[in-house]
Amino acid sequence: MALTLGSITRGVNSVVVALTEAPVIGTLMRRGFVELTYVGRRSGRTFKTPVFYSRKGDTITIGVAMPDNKKWWRNFLGEGGPISLHLDGADRGGHATARRDDRGRVTVRVLLDQPN
């Protein structure tokens, strides 16, 4: 079986998610990584992927590394859309918007919904 970039990416993502759930290292990993869940704009399928993030209150900021090689963030261009993040042991919903600056960098900002 030939390795493809997609299969390598899925493998790395699986390892990152597993590490965030590990008893000892998980606490450290969760400080910088979060698993997000979204519905594809064209396929209608649900996707999950781990990303590096920073948080200030109810705002999550995700800098997209190598954005031209990734597609997930494009679901949140324009008016943005709903997203879910696994934070602090629970799923939190929010609204994500993606912006590309004039240098080509992409940032996704998520405003978290208020918890019930």
Side-chain angles (χ1 to χ4, degrees):
M1 179 167 115
L3 287 178
T4 64
L5 183 57
S7 66
I8 293 169
T9 300
R10 282 188 294 280
V12 169
N13 286 350
S14 296
V15 169
V16 170
V17 170
L19 288 174
T20 63
E21 297 170 356
V24 176
I25 196 170
T27 302
L28 295 172
M29 290 290 292
R30 286 188 297 273
R31 291 181 186 168
F33 285 94
V34 64
E35 184 177 38
L36 57 85
T37 303
Y38 64 95
V39 175
R41 68 189 187 287
R42 293 191 333 206
S43 69
R45 292 179 31 211
T46 299
F47 296 94
K48 292 183 178 198
T49 190
V51 296
F52 186 77
Y53 76 103
S54 63
R55 181 178 185 176
K56 190 176 250 186
D58 285 337
T59 302
I60 302 294
T61 303
I62 303 162
V64 181
M66 299 183 302
D68 293 327
N69 296 336
K70 298 173 182 166
K71 297 179 183 174
W72 71 264
W73 60 270
R74 296 173 188 168
N75 289 282
F76 306 106
L77 287 169
E79 296 297 315
I83 196 167
S84 177
L85 298 96
H86 192 73
L87 285 168
D88 305 323
D91 289 331
R92 294 279 308 270
H95 185 84
T97 53
R99 301 282 183 259
R100 183 188 287 267
D101 68 17
D102 41 347
R103 293 179 70 189
R105 295 175 297 199
V106 173
T107 303
V108 177
R109 284 199 175 30
V110 179
L111 180 58
L112 294 172
D113 296 338
Q114 294 302 310
N116 295 334

